Amino acid sequence: MSAQERLTDSLYGLGWGVVKKLPEPVAVRLGRSIADLAWKQRGKGVLRLESNYARVVPDASPERLAELSRAGMRSYLRYWMESFRLPAWSKERIRGGFDPKDLHHLTEGLAAGKGVILALPHMANWDLAGAWVTTKLETPFTTVAERLKPETLYDRFVAYREGLGMEVLPHSGGTAFGTLARRLREGGLVCLVAERDLSSSGVEVRFFGEATRIPAGPALLAQQTGALLLPVTLWYDDSPVMQGRVHPPVEVPETGTRAEKTSVMAQALADAFATGIADHPEDWHMLQRLWLKDLEPRPSDGART
């Protein structure tokens, strides 16, 4: 393990060990202070966040984008402060910490017994929404976690999410897909973060007018198992309670090849995500490159000369 990896692991360990013991008002102030400091430093993450927001709010002035990125960093640090503290929250606090709209799409889907896939973008606090599902709805679910470096950090995240009642599978291609399919055929619930997949297996979609790729997994699982595919978006307001919406189901097209059906469903998923993100851009925590145009190789200085 490199020195940088050891430092990263230690900082996350410090967060889960110390922040969860802080009184909630102190944790809130700490998160906001860290967010404002990071925003003022104008690092790569903040600049990328502003660049992404410029796609979401194309008519925004530079001043508006700066305001959005500051709010976005505060929202992002709220996510981390909550996540570090979630293991210490009571069941009552978790049950009262989330207020999803149109929940009937999920409850009716579960009652039908054919399995449900919830697909979400990186908005607000996915972990809190998951803890609410396992606590308030008393419904276990399965998800997938990307393998992080160092391995000890990945283990921390797995232990954290399993402690909230989730079954966590490593992102390992067909093995994870097969397990998810079995859970769905058994009438279970699968939750996947699904607006960024820049690998060769991602499905190209139009997102805020430009091309990007999102995971094919949610659409393929729905086709293969008959499970209901539901987009979900999340956001914060001025209260301690996170808000959310379960969008109408993404239907499997009646005709077309598997690839054609997957493309149509992926676009419908992206459109649902875009609706939620456009309404609450500051709660979309995308500090990485997303659009294919941003990934195109740039000519070297010598080539330009």
Side-chain angles (χ1 to χ4, degrees), residues 110-171:
L110 290 172
K114 295 183 179 180
V116 176
I117 307 157
L118 296 180
L120 309 88
H122 290 80
M123 292 187 76
N125 193 336
W126 179 91
D127 292 314
L128 173 55
W132 186 88
V133 168
T134 61
T135 305
K136 175 73 172 181
L137 300 185
E138 298 182 340
T139 301
F141 67 87
T142 305
T143 188
V144 175
E146 180 183 358
R147 283 205 173 275
L148 304 171
K149 292 184 178 180
E151 190 74 15
T152 51
L153 180 58
Y154 170 77
D155 292 339
R156 286 186 191 275
F157 272 96
V158 171
Y160 157 64
R161 287 175 173 145
E162 288 179 343
L164 298 176
M166 311 175 194
E167 179 188 21
V168 183
L169 306 176
H171 190 283

Side-chain angles (χ1 to χ4, degrees), residues 172-201:
S172 52
T175 302
F177 186 92
T179 303
L180 295 174
R182 285 196 298 274
R183 299 292 183 268
L184 292 168
R185 290 192 184 100
E186 294 164 356
L189 177 63
V190 164
C191 300
L192 300 169
V193 180
E195 95 279 31
R196 185 175 188 264
D197 182 358
L198 303 179
S199 70
S200 59
S201 62

Side-chain angles (χ1 to χ4, degrees), residues 278-299:
D279 288 341
H280 307 280
E282 67 278 5
D283 293 314
W284 185 42
H285 307 151
M286 185 51 63
L287 282 72
Q288 298 84 27
R289 295 179 180 180
L290 181 75
W291 281 272
L292 301 186
K293 186 176 180 180
D294 292 337
L295 299 172
E296 293 176 356
R298 299 176 179 176

Side-chain angles (χ1 to χ4, degrees), residues 2-292:
S2 69
Q4 180 62 44
E5 288 175 342
R6 284 196 297 271
L7 176 61
T8 300
D9 182 60
S10 298
L11 288 174
Y12 279 101
L14 183 66
W16 272 302
V18 175
V19 174
K20 72 178 181 181
K21 298 178 182 177
L22 296 175
E24 188 161 349
V26 175
V28 170
R29 289 196 298 271
L30 175 62
R32 177 162 291 201
S33 297
I34 295 173
D36 289 348
L37 178 61
W39 178 78
K40 289 176 183 177
Q41 291 178 340
R42 309 290 291 165
K44 289 182 179 179
V46 173
L47 295 178
R48 176 54 54 190
L49 188 64
E50 283 189 15
S51 176
N52 291 338
Y53 286 161
R55 263 64 174 246
V56 178
V57 191
D59 58 347
S61 65
E63 293 77 17
R64 172 59 178 150
L65 288 176
E67 291 174 0
L68 271 177
S69 67
R70 184 175 189 178
M73 290 303 295
R74 287 181 171 183
S75 175
Y76 185 48
L77 264 294
R78 175 173 172 176
Y79 158 75
W80 278 113
M81 293 297 108
E82 287 181 348
S83 294
F84 287 143
R85 289 175 48 77
L86 263 176
W89 280 18
S90 68
K91 290 184 177 181
E92 289 72 23
R93 177 70 177 87
I94 293 173
R95 292 188 190 108
F98 182 37
D99 182 22
K101 311 299 186 293
D102 297 328
L103 187 63
H104 65 92
H105 292 305
L106 172 57
T107 55
E108 291 171 3
L110 290 172
K114 295 183 179 180
V116 176
I117 307 157
L118 296 180
L120 309 88
H122 290 80
M123 292 187 76
N125 193 336
W126 179 91
D127 292 314
L128 173 55
W132 186 88
V133 168
T134 61
T135 305
K136 175 73 172 181
L137 300 185
E138 298 182 340
T139 301
F141 67 87
T142 305
T143 188
V144 175
E146 180 183 358
R147 283 205 173 275
L148 304 171
K149 292 184 178 180
E151 190 74 15
T152 51
L153 180 58
Y154 170 77
D155 292 339
R156 286 186 191 275
F157 272 96
V158 171
Y160 157 64
R161 287 175 173 145
E162 288 179 343
L164 298 176
M166 311 175 194
E167 179 188 21
V168 183
L169 306 176
H171 190 283
S172 52
T175 302
F177 186 92
T179 303
L180 295 174
R182 285 196 298 274
R183 299 292 183 268
L184 292 168
R185 290 192 184 100
E186 294 164 356
L189 177 63
V190 164
C191 300
L192 300 169
V193 180
E195 95 279 31
R196 185 175 188 264
D197 182 358
L198 303 179
S199 70
S200 59
S201 62
V203 181
E204 187 168 321
V205 296
R206 301 295 293 180
F207 195 55
F208 291 102
E210 293 188 39
T212 186
R213 287 194 291 268
I214 70 172
L220 290 173
L221 284 167
Q223 292 176 58
Q224 186 165 315
T225 67
L228 196 67
L229 175 55
L230 298 174
V232 177
T233 53
L234 309 171
W235 68 92
Y236 293 124
D237 57 16
D238 294 330
S239 76
V241 180
M242 184 176 70
Q243 306 298 311
R245 182 174 306 282
V246 182
H247 295 257
V250 172
E251 303 290 349
V252 177
E254 295 182 359
T255 60
T257 65
R258 185 173 72 166
E260 290 169 343
K261 292 178 180 179
T262 301
S263 178
V264 171
M265 295 174 72
Q267 186 62 62
L269 202 58
D271 291 344
F273 291 163
T275 298
I277 292 169
D279 288 341
H280 307 280
E282 67 278 5
D283 293 314
W284 185 42
H285 307 151
M286 185 51 63
L287 282 72
Q288 298 84 27
R289 295 179 180 180
L290 181 75
W291 281 272
L292 301 186

